[in-house]
Amino acid sequence: MLLLQLEDIKQLLTNVGEKNFFLQLIDTLQSDYKRWFEFDKKPRLASHVDLGVIELMPISNALYYAFKYVNGHPKNPQKNKLTVMATGQLSLCATGEPLLYCEMTLLTALRTAATSAMVAKYVANKNSSVLALIGTGAQSEFQYLAYSFIFDLQEVRYFDIDDHAMQKFATNMAKFEIKLTACKNATEAVIGADLITTCTADKCQQTVLTKAMIDKPVFINALGGDCPGKTELEKALLEDATIVVEYLAQTKIEGEIQQLNDDFSCVELHQIISQQVTLNVQTQGTIIYDSVGFALEDYAILRLVYRLAQQYQLGQQIDMIPHLTDVKDLFSLLK
Ligand SMILES: NC(=O)c1ccc[n+]([C@@H]2O[C@H](COP(=O)([O-])OP(=O)(O)OC[C@H]3O[C@@H](n4cnc5c(N)ncnc54)[C@H](O)[C@@H]3O)[C@@H](O)[C@H]2O)c1
């Protein structure tokens, strides 16, 4: 079984190059979303605890079985711990043999950003040049990076209720050639934006964006509402827009659409990727990608890093599964 730790993923990104990695990841996501009906899918299994949630996210097709363990604890930064931490595994379906055990905190940020950019590539205005980011925590720079490989971004407008997070974002972004506009609130941040990502964390129903704040048709990627009772958008904004979800069975429990009655309509992402449905901000008006994070995205990045790690000979073989001369003699391990 191959073990990929953080250092291995960092090395892999250096070897492949960030842009090349994101583009390969978007290709892999597209190819897996196109094969939607091959997958055995289920909503993730969530255990709600006092200060957050702990989730298991399984998925499989004929080749691989993948799962991710992930948490969401919005108050963790007060204890100097990440809000979202994750590990994952990839196994071979033919035998059930675990192939890969992998860090997935960094991979979650990468796959979430790549999926955001992939959806935007299909439905946002092709000339989008202004990105607004509400919430400049752990996910934020990754969001910028992925969009920057798809769109010719000229400006990033950003806001966070935490000054330290705003400062950290400005410091990390200084190396990119892009106009950075720090804003006093979310209303100011979304002025003139073509693309908006909300990536705030709070275990409650917040109203980070309202219908009144949006002055032209935009692509909104709502990332932070991903749990029952945890949302970011005003209901009136949802009611007025076209909504894209990853997997309705999961999103109706966890996404922004938990605020709506059962009679609303939405499009599943695979329908767009397979070009069964064509949506665009220019023709439909505002489009909301109500992202909660789906297991297929973890499957896609796990199979990609597994292949690349073998190509670049990264990671370490670990002894987690017995290799026996006589496979019926497990007892020999005690001798
Ligand atoms: N959809 C997905 O696939 C996916 C993947 C990863 C994370 N997430 C979610 O995205 C969110 C962000 O994750 P993170 O790892 O960046 O968390 P984080 O805790 O590192 O950052 C969240 C930031 O939001 C800010 N914030 C909270 N309320 C705000 C408000 N009203 N206005 C402006 N800023 C506000 C906080 O100050 C913090 O800096 C979380 O809710 C997480 O659960 C979703």
Side-chain angles (χ1 to χ4, degrees), residues 44 68 70-77 81-84 108-109 111-112 134-140 159-162 165-166 168 186 198-202 206-208 221-226 230 232 246 289-294 297:
R44 61 186 157 198
K68 180 167 83 176
V70 64
N71 76 305
H73 285 64
K75 292 202 184 332
N76 265 3
K81 291 190 189 300
L82 284 149
T83 296
V84 175
T108 294
R111 71 76 152 137
T112 304
I134 321 290
T136 57
Q139 309 301 318
S140 57
F159 169 68
D160 196 295
I161 49 173
D162 174 13
M166 294 270 285
K168 176 240 34 171
T198 54
C199 45
T200 68
D202 205 345
Q206 301 208 78
T207 310
V208 175
N221 174 20
L223 273 190
D226 56 1
K230 179 169 177 266
E232 294 178 308
E246 291 144 306
Y289 168 41
D290 183 6
S291 160
V292 293
F294 184 51
E297 295 143 26

Side-chain angles (χ1 to χ4, degrees), residues 1-3 98 101 316-324 333:
M1 182 182 194
L2 185 68
L3 173 68
Y101 187 68
Q316 181 191 342
Q317 287 297 332
I318 52 168
D319 214 9
M320 295 288 274
I321 307 295
H323 293 283
L324 302 168
L333 293 176

Side-chain angles (χ1 to χ4, degrees), residues 89-106:
Q89 185 174 309
L90 191 68
S91 297
L92 200 58
C93 281
T95 56
E97 183 185 355
L99 297 175
L100 170 68
Y101 187 68
C102 194
E103 94 72 40
M104 282 204 83
T105 305
L106 183 54

